[in-house]
Amino acid sequence: MPKKKQISTTIDERLYKEIKEKGYRISDLIEKGLEYMEKERRVLNEDYMESFIEKLDNITKKIEKIINESLKDKLKDLMDFLESERNELINKKIISRYDINRIFTRIEEKIQEMFEL
């Protein structure tokens, strides 16, 4: 048998008299009201909260996986881009300050474009 919960409440005296006249016990009414509200999911019971937390955990894991895959792809693209820029510099016979500045500017623009900065 489940453990009974102790509930305290205040009630209008007129309403209390009407409930008593009809032969109801306030504790029974409160208990039935809570059962109804739990059934209708208006009160968050322990099972519902555990289920909700589990769903949030699964969603978080899915989002994390998507972000990690996206980040891996972006970093791979960036590495390829850096490699091509390095090769371009290596193939030059004379490297000027302008060349270096241009490459750093292109790298900066690529990073801003990739990560929407």
PDB file of all heavy atoms in Angstrom, residues 54-89:
ATOM      1  N   GLU A  54      14.981  12.016 -19.177  1.00  0.00           N
ATOM      2  CA  GLU A  54      15.588  11.048 -20.104  1.00  0.00           C
ATOM      3  C   GLU A  54      15.470  11.534 -21.554  1.00  0.00           C
ATOM      4  O   GLU A  54      16.415  11.447 -22.329  1.00  0.00           O
ATOM      5  CB  GLU A  54      14.909   9.687 -19.950  1.00  0.00           C
ATOM      6  CG  GLU A  54      15.569   8.580 -20.736  1.00  0.00           C
ATOM      7  CD  GLU A  54      14.922   7.234 -20.487  1.00  0.00           C
ATOM      8  OE1 GLU A  54      14.584   6.939 -19.322  1.00  0.00           O
ATOM      9  OE2 GLU A  54      14.757   6.491 -21.465  1.00  0.00           O
ATOM     10  N   LYS A  55      14.297  12.074 -21.906  1.00  0.00           N
ATOM     11  CA  LYS A  55      14.102  12.613 -23.259  1.00  0.00           C
ATOM     12  C   LYS A  55      15.039  13.792 -23.514  1.00  0.00           C
ATOM     13  O   LYS A  55      15.645  13.902 -24.588  1.00  0.00           O
ATOM     14  CB  LYS A  55      12.652  13.050 -23.465  1.00  0.00           C
ATOM     15  CG  LYS A  55      11.689  11.903 -23.605  1.00  0.00           C
ATOM     16  CD  LYS A  55      10.263  12.397 -23.731  1.00  0.00           C
ATOM     17  CE  LYS A  55       9.285  11.248 -23.739  1.00  0.00           C
ATOM     18  NZ  LYS A  55       7.886  11.687 -23.766  1.00  0.00           N
ATOM     19  N   LEU A  56      15.162  14.685 -22.525  1.00  0.00           N
ATOM     20  CA  LEU A  56      16.077  15.818 -22.673  1.00  0.00           C
ATOM     21  C   LEU A  56      17.519  15.349 -22.832  1.00  0.00           C
ATOM     22  O   LEU A  56      18.280  15.900 -23.638  1.00  0.00           O
ATOM     23  CB  LEU A  56      15.975  16.751 -21.461  1.00  0.00           C
ATOM     24  CG  LEU A  56      14.792  17.691 -21.417  1.00  0.00           C
ATOM     25  CD1 LEU A  56      14.827  18.502 -20.116  1.00  0.00           C
ATOM     26  CD2 LEU A  56      14.770  18.622 -22.595  1.00  0.00           C
ATOM     27  N   ASP A  57      17.902  14.324 -22.082  1.00  0.00           N
ATOM     28  CA  ASP A  57      19.248  13.767 -22.171  1.00  0.00           C
ATOM     29  C   ASP A  57      19.506  13.213 -23.572  1.00  0.00           C
ATOM     30  O   ASP A  57      20.565  13.460 -24.162  1.00  0.00           O
ATOM     31  CB  ASP A  57      19.435  12.678 -21.112  1.00  0.00           C
ATOM     32  CG  ASP A  57      20.866  12.211 -21.004  1.00  0.00           C
ATOM     33  OD1 ASP A  57      21.781  13.061 -21.053  1.00  0.00           O
ATOM     34  OD2 ASP A  57      21.070  10.986 -20.851  1.00  0.00           O
ATOM     35  N   ASN A  58      18.536  12.482 -24.127  1.00  0.00           N
ATOM     36  CA  ASN A  58      18.680  11.931 -25.477  1.00  0.00           C
ATOM     37  C   ASN A  58      18.795  13.039 -26.521  1.00  0.00           C
ATOM     38  O   ASN A  58      19.621  12.963 -27.440  1.00  0.00           O
ATOM     39  CB  ASN A  58      17.502  11.014 -25.822  1.00  0.00           C
ATOM     40  CG  ASN A  58      17.534   9.723 -25.045  1.00  0.00           C
ATOM     41  OD1 ASN A  58      18.589   9.297 -24.569  1.00  0.00           O
ATOM     42  ND2 ASN A  58      16.393   9.092 -24.898  1.00  0.00           N
ATOM     43  N   ILE A  59      17.982  14.066 -26.384  1.00  0.00           N
ATOM     44  CA  ILE A  59      18.029  15.195 -27.319  1.00  0.00           C
ATOM     45  C   ILE A  59      19.385  15.892 -27.221  1.00  0.00           C
ATOM     46  O   ILE A  59      19.985  16.238 -28.239  1.00  0.00           O
ATOM     47  CB  ILE A  59      16.868  16.179 -27.040  1.00  0.00           C
ATOM     48  CG1 ILE A  59      15.542  15.539 -27.433  1.00  0.00           C
ATOM     49  CG2 ILE A  59      17.076  17.503 -27.758  1.00  0.00           C
ATOM     50  CD1 ILE A  59      14.317  16.305 -26.990  1.00  0.00           C
ATOM     51  N   THR A  60      19.872  16.084 -26.008  1.00  0.00           N
ATOM     52  CA  THR A  60      21.171  16.726 -25.798  1.00  0.00           C
ATOM     53  C   THR A  60      22.286  15.919 -26.459  1.00  0.00           C
ATOM     54  O   THR A  60      23.171  16.495 -27.106  1.00  0.00           O
ATOM     55  CB  THR A  60      21.454  16.883 -24.291  1.00  0.00           C
ATOM     56  OG1 THR A  60      20.400  17.638 -23.695  1.00  0.00           O
ATOM     57  CG2 THR A  60      22.773  17.576 -24.036  1.00  0.00           C
ATOM     58  N   LYS A  61      22.235  14.604 -26.316  1.00  0.00           N
ATOM     59  CA  LYS A  61      23.248  13.747 -26.941  1.00  0.00           C
ATOM     60  C   LYS A  61      23.197  13.852 -28.460  1.00  0.00           C
ATOM     61  O   LYS A  61      24.237  13.899 -29.120  1.00  0.00           O
ATOM     62  CB  LYS A  61      23.075  12.306 -26.494  1.00  0.00           C
ATOM     63  CG  LYS A  61      23.512  12.069 -25.064  1.00  0.00           C
ATOM     64  CD  LYS A  61      23.261  10.647 -24.623  1.00  0.00           C
ATOM     65  CE  LYS A  61      23.644  10.470 -23.157  1.00  0.00           C
ATOM     66  NZ  LYS A  61      23.275   9.158 -22.642  1.00  0.00           N
ATOM     67  N   LYS A  62      21.996  13.897 -29.032  1.00  0.00           N
ATOM     68  CA  LYS A  62      21.848  14.025 -30.480  1.00  0.00           C
ATOM     69  C   LYS A  62      22.401  15.369 -30.964  1.00  0.00           C
ATOM     70  O   LYS A  62      23.105  15.434 -31.973  1.00  0.00           O
ATOM     71  CB  LYS A  62      20.382  13.884 -30.892  1.00  0.00           C
ATOM     72  CG  LYS A  62      19.868  12.468 -30.786  1.00  0.00           C
ATOM     73  CD  LYS A  62      18.402  12.398 -31.153  1.00  0.00           C
ATOM     74  CE  LYS A  62      17.863  10.990 -30.957  1.00  0.00           C
ATOM     75  NZ  LYS A  62      16.429  10.907 -31.233  1.00  0.00           N
ATOM     76  N   ILE A  63      22.085  16.430 -30.236  1.00  0.00           N
ATOM     77  CA  ILE A  63      22.578  17.757 -30.608  1.00  0.00           C
ATOM     78  C   ILE A  63      24.103  17.794 -30.522  1.00  0.00           C
ATOM     79  O   ILE A  63      24.773  18.329 -31.404  1.00  0.00           O
ATOM     80  CB  ILE A  63      21.939  18.852 -29.716  1.00  0.00           C
ATOM     81  CG1 ILE A  63      20.458  18.999 -30.053  1.00  0.00           C
ATOM     82  CG2 ILE A  63      22.664  20.181 -29.872  1.00  0.00           C
ATOM     83  CD1 ILE A  63      19.684  19.898 -29.111  1.00  0.00           C
ATOM     84  N   GLU A  64      24.641  17.213 -29.461  1.00  0.00           N
ATOM     85  CA  GLU A  64      26.095  17.171 -29.278  1.00  0.00           C
ATOM     86  C   GLU A  64      26.765  16.423 -30.434  1.00  0.00           C
ATOM     87  O   GLU A  64      27.789  16.860 -30.963  1.00  0.00           O
ATOM     88  CB  GLU A  64      26.418  16.492 -27.952  1.00  0.00           C
ATOM     89  CG  GLU A  64      27.889  16.483 -27.597  1.00  0.00           C
ATOM     90  CD  GLU A  64      28.131  15.833 -26.235  1.00  0.00           C
ATOM     91  OE1 GLU A  64      27.272  15.971 -25.347  1.00  0.00           O
ATOM     92  OE2 GLU A  64      29.177  15.207 -26.092  1.00  0.00           O
ATOM     93  N   LYS A  65      26.161  15.318 -30.855  1.00  0.00           N
ATOM     94  CA  LYS A  65      26.710  14.535 -31.964  1.00  0.00           C
ATOM     95  C   LYS A  65      26.693  15.349 -33.260  1.00  0.00           C
ATOM     96  O   LYS A  65      27.677  15.372 -33.999  1.00  0.00           O
ATOM     97  CB  LYS A  65      25.906  13.245 -32.138  1.00  0.00           C
ATOM     98  CG  LYS A  65      26.439  12.333 -33.207  1.00  0.00           C
ATOM     99  CD  LYS A  65      25.631  11.052 -33.287  1.00  0.00           C
ATOM    100  CE  LYS A  65      26.156  10.166 -34.409  1.00  0.00           C
ATOM    101  NZ  LYS A  65      25.364   8.951 -34.556  1.00  0.00           N
ATOM    102  N   ILE A  66      25.589  16.037 -33.517  1.00  0.00           N
ATOM    103  CA  ILE A  66      25.463  16.861 -34.720  1.00  0.00           C
ATOM    104  C   ILE A  66      26.511  17.972 -34.708  1.00  0.00           C
ATOM    105  O   ILE A  66      27.186  18.233 -35.711  1.00  0.00           O
ATOM    106  CB  ILE A  66      24.042  17.448 -34.840  1.00  0.00           C
ATOM    107  CG1 ILE A  66      23.046  16.338 -35.153  1.00  0.00           C
ATOM    108  CG2 ILE A  66      23.980  18.545 -35.890  1.00  0.00           C
ATOM    109  CD1 ILE A  66      21.591  16.741 -35.021  1.00  0.00           C
ATOM    110  N   ILE A  67      26.664  18.626 -33.558  1.00  0.00           N
ATOM    111  CA  ILE A  67      27.634  19.719 -33.445  1.00  0.00           C
ATOM    112  C   ILE A  67      29.054  19.202 -33.652  1.00  0.00           C
ATOM    113  O   ILE A  67      29.858  19.812 -34.362  1.00  0.00           O
ATOM    114  CB  ILE A  67      27.492  20.438 -32.085  1.00  0.00           C
ATOM    115  CG1 ILE A  67      26.195  21.246 -32.068  1.00  0.00           C
ATOM    116  CG2 ILE A  67      28.685  21.343 -31.802  1.00  0.00           C
ATOM    117  CD1 ILE A  67      25.840  21.830 -30.722  1.00  0.00           C
ATOM    118  N   ASN A  68      29.368  18.054 -33.036  1.00  0.00           N
ATOM    119  CA  ASN A  68      30.708  17.486 -33.184  1.00  0.00           C
ATOM    120  C   ASN A  68      31.005  17.126 -34.636  1.00  0.00           C
ATOM    121  O   ASN A  68      32.109  17.389 -35.127  1.00  0.00           O
ATOM    122  CB  ASN A  68      30.885  16.257 -32.287  1.00  0.00           C
ATOM    123  CG  ASN A  68      31.059  16.629 -30.838  1.00  0.00           C
ATOM    124  OD1 ASN A  68      31.435  17.752 -30.515  1.00  0.00           O
ATOM    125  ND2 ASN A  68      30.767  15.704 -29.952  1.00  0.00           N
ATOM    126  N   GLU A  69      30.035  16.538 -35.327  1.00  0.00           N
ATOM    127  CA  GLU A  69      30.238  16.185 -36.738  1.00  0.00           C
ATOM    128  C   GLU A  69      30.435  17.443 -37.582  1.00  0.00           C
ATOM    129  O   GLU A  69      31.312  17.492 -38.439  1.00  0.00           O
ATOM    130  CB  GLU A  69      29.048  15.370 -37.264  1.00  0.00           C
ATOM    131  CG  GLU A  69      28.973  13.973 -36.710  1.00  0.00           C
ATOM    132  CD  GLU A  69      30.182  13.131 -37.059  1.00  0.00           C
ATOM    133  OE1 GLU A  69      30.659  13.181 -38.201  1.00  0.00           O
ATOM    134  OE2 GLU A  69      30.667  12.418 -36.157  1.00  0.00           O
ATOM    135  N   SER A  70      29.625  18.431 -37.317  1.00  0.00           N
ATOM    136  CA  SER A  70      29.740  19.689 -38.056  1.00  0.00           C
ATOM    137  C   SER A  70      31.092  20.345 -37.800  1.00  0.00           C
ATOM    138  O   SER A  70      31.744  20.831 -38.726  1.00  0.00           O
ATOM    139  CB  SER A  70      28.614  20.639 -37.648  1.00  0.00           C
ATOM    140  OG  SER A  70      28.760  21.879 -38.268  1.00  0.00           O
ATOM    141  N   LEU A  71      31.515  20.342 -36.550  1.00  0.00           N
ATOM    142  CA  LEU A  71      32.793  20.941 -36.192  1.00  0.00           C
ATOM    143  C   LEU A  71      33.949  20.181 -36.841  1.00  0.00           C
ATOM    144  O   LEU A  71      34.881  20.793 -37.361  1.00  0.00           O
ATOM    145  CB  LEU A  71      32.954  20.973 -34.677  1.00  0.00           C
ATOM    146  CG  LEU A  71      34.137  21.742 -34.118  1.00  0.00           C
ATOM    147  CD1 LEU A  71      34.138  23.183 -34.599  1.00  0.00           C
ATOM    148  CD2 LEU A  71      34.134  21.684 -32.600  1.00  0.00           C
ATOM    149  N   LYS A  72      33.877  18.861 -36.845  1.00  0.00           N
ATOM    150  CA  LYS A  72      34.916  18.052 -37.495  1.00  0.00           C
ATOM    151  C   LYS A  72      35.017  18.400 -38.974  1.00  0.00           C
ATOM    152  O   LYS A  72      36.113  18.562 -39.511  1.00  0.00           O
ATOM    153  CB  LYS A  72      34.614  16.558 -37.351  1.00  0.00           C
ATOM    154  CG  LYS A  72      34.946  15.976 -36.021  1.00  0.00           C
ATOM    155  CD  LYS A  72      34.599  14.485 -36.012  1.00  0.00           C
ATOM    156  CE  LYS A  72      34.738  13.882 -34.656  1.00  0.00           C
ATOM    157  NZ  LYS A  72      34.299  12.478 -34.617  1.00  0.00           N
ATOM    158  N   ASP A  73      33.858  18.490 -39.639  1.00  0.00           N
ATOM    159  CA  ASP A  73      33.847  18.823 -41.068  1.00  0.00           C
ATOM    160  C   ASP A  73      34.452  20.201 -41.319  1.00  0.00           C
ATOM    161  O   ASP A  73      35.249  20.384 -42.242  1.00  0.00           O
ATOM    162  CB  ASP A  73      32.420  18.777 -41.622  1.00  0.00           C
ATOM    163  CG  ASP A  73      31.850  17.369 -41.651  1.00  0.00           C
ATOM    164  OD1 ASP A  73      32.635  16.404 -41.556  1.00  0.00           O
ATOM    165  OD2 ASP A  73      30.612  17.245 -41.758  1.00  0.00           O
ATOM    166  N   LYS A  74      34.080  21.154 -40.486  1.00  0.00           N
ATOM    167  CA  LYS A  74      34.606  22.511 -40.664  1.00  0.00           C
ATOM    168  C   LYS A  74      36.115  22.562 -40.423  1.00  0.00           C
ATOM    169  O   LYS A  74      36.847  23.218 -41.157  1.00  0.00           O
ATOM    170  CB  LYS A  74      33.888  23.491 -39.735  1.00  0.00           C
ATOM    171  CG  LYS A  74      32.490  23.802 -40.195  1.00  0.00           C
ATOM    172  CD  LYS A  74      31.811  24.807 -39.292  1.00  0.00           C
ATOM    173  CE  LYS A  74      30.421  25.103 -39.828  1.00  0.00           C
ATOM    174  NZ  LYS A  74      29.752  26.139 -39.063  1.00  0.00           N
ATOM    175  N   LEU A  75      36.566  21.854 -39.393  1.00  0.00           N
ATOM    176  CA  LEU A  75      38.001  21.841 -39.113  1.00  0.00           C
ATOM    177  C   LEU A  75      38.782  21.144 -40.228  1.00  0.00           C
ATOM    178  O   LEU A  75      39.884  21.575 -40.590  1.00  0.00           O
ATOM    179  CB  LEU A  75      38.282  21.185 -37.761  1.00  0.00           C
ATOM    180  CG  LEU A  75      37.865  22.006 -36.540  1.00  0.00           C
ATOM    181  CD1 LEU A  75      38.060  21.208 -35.263  1.00  0.00           C
ATOM    182  CD2 LEU A  75      38.637  23.310 -36.471  1.00  0.00           C
ATOM    183  N   LYS A  76      38.225  20.088 -40.788  1.00  0.00           N
ATOM    184  CA  LYS A  76      38.882  19.410 -41.905  1.00  0.00           C
ATOM    185  C   LYS A  76      38.981  20.354 -43.102  1.00  0.00           C
ATOM    186  O   LYS A  76      40.029  20.453 -43.748  1.00  0.00           O
ATOM    187  CB  LYS A  76      38.121  18.143 -42.292  1.00  0.00           C
ATOM    188  CG  LYS A  76      38.830  17.325 -43.362  1.00  0.00           C
ATOM    189  CD  LYS A  76      38.054  16.091 -43.716  1.00  0.00           C
ATOM    190  CE  LYS A  76      38.706  15.263 -44.774  1.00  0.00           C
ATOM    191  NZ  LYS A  76      39.345  15.941 -45.868  1.00  0.00           N
ATOM    192  N   ASP A  77      37.901  21.057 -43.408  1.00  0.00           N
ATOM    193  CA  ASP A  77      37.926  22.040 -44.499  1.00  0.00           C
ATOM    194  C   ASP A  77      38.969  23.123 -44.234  1.00  0.00           C
ATOM    195  O   ASP A  77      39.694  23.542 -45.145  1.00  0.00           O
ATOM    196  CB  ASP A  77      36.549  22.691 -44.680  1.00  0.00           C
ATOM    197  CG  ASP A  77      35.519  21.741 -45.247  1.00  0.00           C
ATOM    198  OD1 ASP A  77      35.915  20.668 -45.749  1.00  0.00           O
ATOM    199  OD2 ASP A  77      34.317  22.071 -45.174  1.00  0.00           O
ATOM    200  N   LEU A  78      39.049  23.568 -42.996  1.00  0.00           N
ATOM    201  CA  LEU A  78      40.024  24.600 -42.646  1.00  0.00           C
ATOM    202  C   LEU A  78      41.450  24.080 -42.811  1.00  0.00           C
ATOM    203  O   LEU A  78      42.318  24.787 -43.332  1.00  0.00           O
ATOM    204  CB  LEU A  78      39.784  25.083 -41.216  1.00  0.00           C
ATOM    205  CG  LEU A  78      40.678  26.219 -40.721  1.00  0.00           C
ATOM    206  CD1 LEU A  78      40.552  27.450 -41.613  1.00  0.00           C
ATOM    207  CD2 LEU A  78      40.355  26.567 -39.285  1.00  0.00           C
ATOM    208  N   MET A  79      41.698  22.854 -42.393  1.00  0.00           N
ATOM    209  CA  MET A  79      43.025  22.258 -42.543  1.00  0.00           C
ATOM    210  C   MET A  79      43.400  22.151 -44.021  1.00  0.00           C
ATOM    211  O   MET A  79      44.537  22.440 -44.409  1.00  0.00           O
ATOM    212  CB  MET A  79      43.082  20.876 -41.880  1.00  0.00           C
ATOM    213  CG  MET A  79      42.915  20.904 -40.374  1.00  0.00           C
ATOM    214  SD  MET A  79      44.211  21.797 -39.518  1.00  0.00           S
ATOM    215  CE  MET A  79      45.546  20.674 -39.731  1.00  0.00           C
ATOM    216  N   ASP A  80      42.450  21.745 -44.848  1.00  0.00           N
ATOM    217  CA  ASP A  80      42.698  21.665 -46.298  1.00  0.00           C
ATOM    218  C   ASP A  80      43.013  23.043 -46.866  1.00  0.00           C
ATOM    219  O   ASP A  80      43.927  23.207 -47.690  1.00  0.00           O
ATOM    220  CB  ASP A  80      41.494  21.062 -47.022  1.00  0.00           C
ATOM    221  CG  ASP A  80      41.277  19.606 -46.686  1.00  0.00           C
ATOM    222  OD1 ASP A  80      42.220  18.956 -46.182  1.00  0.00           O
ATOM    223  OD2 ASP A  80      40.151  19.111 -46.920  1.00  0.00           O
ATOM    224  N   PHE A  81      42.259  24.020 -46.418  1.00  0.00           N
ATOM    225  CA  PHE A  81      42.492  25.388 -46.881  1.00  0.00           C
ATOM    226  C   PHE A  81      43.876  25.882 -46.461  1.00  0.00           C
ATOM    227  O   PHE A  81      44.606  26.468 -47.266  1.00  0.00           O
ATOM    228  CB  PHE A  81      41.397  26.316 -46.326  1.00  0.00           C
ATOM    229  CG  PHE A  81      41.564  27.749 -46.710  1.00  0.00           C
ATOM    230  CD1 PHE A  81      41.248  28.168 -47.987  1.00  0.00           C
ATOM    231  CD2 PHE A  81      42.045  28.683 -45.799  1.00  0.00           C
ATOM    232  CE1 PHE A  81      41.404  29.499 -48.346  1.00  0.00           C
ATOM    233  CE2 PHE A  81      42.203  30.003 -46.148  1.00  0.00           C
ATOM    234  CZ  PHE A  81      41.882  30.417 -47.429  1.00  0.00           C
ATOM    235  N   LEU A  82      44.252  25.639 -45.215  1.00  0.00           N
ATOM    236  CA  LEU A  82      45.576  26.047 -44.732  1.00  0.00           C
ATOM    237  C   LEU A  82      46.682  25.347 -45.517  1.00  0.00           C
ATOM    238  O   LEU A  82      47.713  25.963 -45.839  1.00  0.00           O
ATOM    239  CB  LEU A  82      45.722  25.759 -43.240  1.00  0.00           C
ATOM    240  CG  LEU A  82      44.871  26.607 -42.301  1.00  0.00           C
ATOM    241  CD1 LEU A  82      44.987  26.095 -40.871  1.00  0.00           C
ATOM    242  CD2 LEU A  82      45.258  28.063 -42.388  1.00  0.00           C
ATOM    243  N   GLU A  83      46.484  24.095 -45.826  1.00  0.00           N
ATOM    244  CA  GLU A  83      47.463  23.341 -46.613  1.00  0.00           C
ATOM    245  C   GLU A  83      47.634  23.953 -48.008  1.00  0.00           C
ATOM    246  O   GLU A  83      48.756  24.110 -48.500  1.00  0.00           O
ATOM    247  CB  GLU A  83      47.032  21.875 -46.731  1.00  0.00           C
ATOM    248  CG  GLU A  83      47.972  20.996 -47.505  1.00  0.00           C
ATOM    249  CD  GLU A  83      49.311  20.779 -46.834  1.00  0.00           C
ATOM    250  OE1 GLU A  83      49.399  20.948 -45.606  1.00  0.00           O
ATOM    251  OE2 GLU A  83      50.273  20.461 -47.541  1.00  0.00           O
ATOM    252  N   SER A  84      46.531  24.326 -48.636  1.00  0.00           N
ATOM    253  CA  SER A  84      46.625  24.933 -49.971  1.00  0.00           C
ATOM    254  C   SER A  84      47.319  26.296 -49.904  1.00  0.00           C
ATOM    255  O   SER A  84      48.120  26.632 -50.791  1.00  0.00           O
ATOM    256  CB  SER A  84      45.247  25.056 -50.614  1.00  0.00           C
ATOM    257  OG  SER A  84      44.474  26.027 -49.967  1.00  0.00           O
ATOM    258  N   GLU A  85      47.055  27.060 -48.858  1.00  0.00           N
ATOM    259  CA  GLU A  85      47.721  28.358 -48.701  1.00  0.00           C
ATOM    260  C   GLU A  85      49.221  28.164 -48.450  1.00  0.00           C
ATOM    261  O   GLU A  85      50.049  28.898 -48.989  1.00  0.00           O
ATOM    262  CB  GLU A  85      47.089  29.155 -47.555  1.00  0.00           C
ATOM    263  CG  GLU A  85      45.652  29.557 -47.794  1.00  0.00           C
ATOM    264  CD  GLU A  85      45.493  30.479 -48.986  1.00  0.00           C
ATOM    265  OE1 GLU A  85      46.244  31.467 -49.096  1.00  0.00           O
ATOM    266  OE2 GLU A  85      44.622  30.197 -49.832  1.00  0.00           O
ATOM    267  N   ARG A  86      49.556  27.185 -47.661  1.00  0.00           N
ATOM    268  CA  ARG A  86      50.971  26.888 -47.402  1.00  0.00           C
ATOM    269  C   ARG A  86      51.677  26.478 -48.692  1.00  0.00           C
ATOM    270  O   ARG A  86      52.774  26.964 -48.997  1.00  0.00           O
ATOM    271  CB  ARG A  86      51.083  25.770 -46.364  1.00  0.00           C
ATOM    272  CG  ARG A  86      52.512  25.462 -45.950  1.00  0.00           C
ATOM    273  CD  ARG A  86      52.556  24.391 -44.876  1.00  0.00           C
ATOM    274  NE  ARG A  86      52.216  23.084 -45.369  1.00  0.00           N
ATOM    275  CZ  ARG A  86      53.093  22.246 -45.942  1.00  0.00           C
ATOM    276  NH1 ARG A  86      54.338  22.590 -46.066  1.00  0.00           N
ATOM    277  NH2 ARG A  86      52.701  21.071 -46.371  1.00  0.00           N
ATOM    278  N   ASN A  87      51.018  25.624 -49.463  1.00  0.00           N
ATOM    279  CA  ASN A  87      51.607  25.203 -50.739  1.00  0.00           C
ATOM    280  C   ASN A  87      51.794  26.376 -51.696  1.00  0.00           C
ATOM    281  O   ASN A  87      52.787  26.437 -52.424  1.00  0.00           O
ATOM    282  CB  ASN A  87      50.750  24.121 -51.400  1.00  0.00           C
ATOM    283  CG  ASN A  87      50.869  22.801 -50.695  1.00  0.00           C
ATOM    284  OD1 ASN A  87      51.856  22.537 -50.017  1.00  0.00           O
ATOM    285  ND2 ASN A  87      49.841  21.974 -50.826  1.00  0.00           N
ATOM    286  N   GLU A  88      50.871  27.285 -51.686  1.00  0.00           N
ATOM    287  CA  GLU A  88      50.980  28.470 -52.536  1.00  0.00           C
ATOM    288  C   GLU A  88      52.211  29.295 -52.150  1.00  0.00           C
ATOM    289  O   GLU A  88      52.942  29.779 -53.007  1.00  0.00           O
ATOM    290  CB  GLU A  88      49.714  29.320 -52.418  1.00  0.00           C
ATOM    291  CG  GLU A  88      49.676  30.482 -53.393  1.00  0.00           C
ATOM    292  CD  GLU A  88      48.386  31.264 -53.310  1.00  0.00           C
ATOM    293  OE1 GLU A  88      47.326  30.641 -53.175  1.00  0.00           O
ATOM    294  OE2 GLU A  88      48.469  32.508 -53.380  1.00  0.00           O
ATOM    295  N   LEU A  89      52.434  29.435 -50.844  1.00  0.00           N
ATOM    296  CA  LEU A  89      53.621  30.174 -50.376  1.00  0.00           C
ATOM    297  C   LEU A  89      54.909  29.430 -50.729  1.00  0.00           C
ATOM    298  O   LEU A  89      55.887  30.042 -51.155  1.00  0.00           O
ATOM    299  CB  LEU A  89      53.565  30.372 -48.867  1.00  0.00           C
ATOM    300  CG  LEU A  89      52.948  31.645 -48.339  1.00  0.00           C
ATOM    301  CD1 LEU A  89      53.009  31.686 -46.824  1.00  0.00           C
ATOM    302  CD2 LEU A  89      53.551  32.883 -48.933  1.00  0.00           C
TER     303      LEU A  89
END
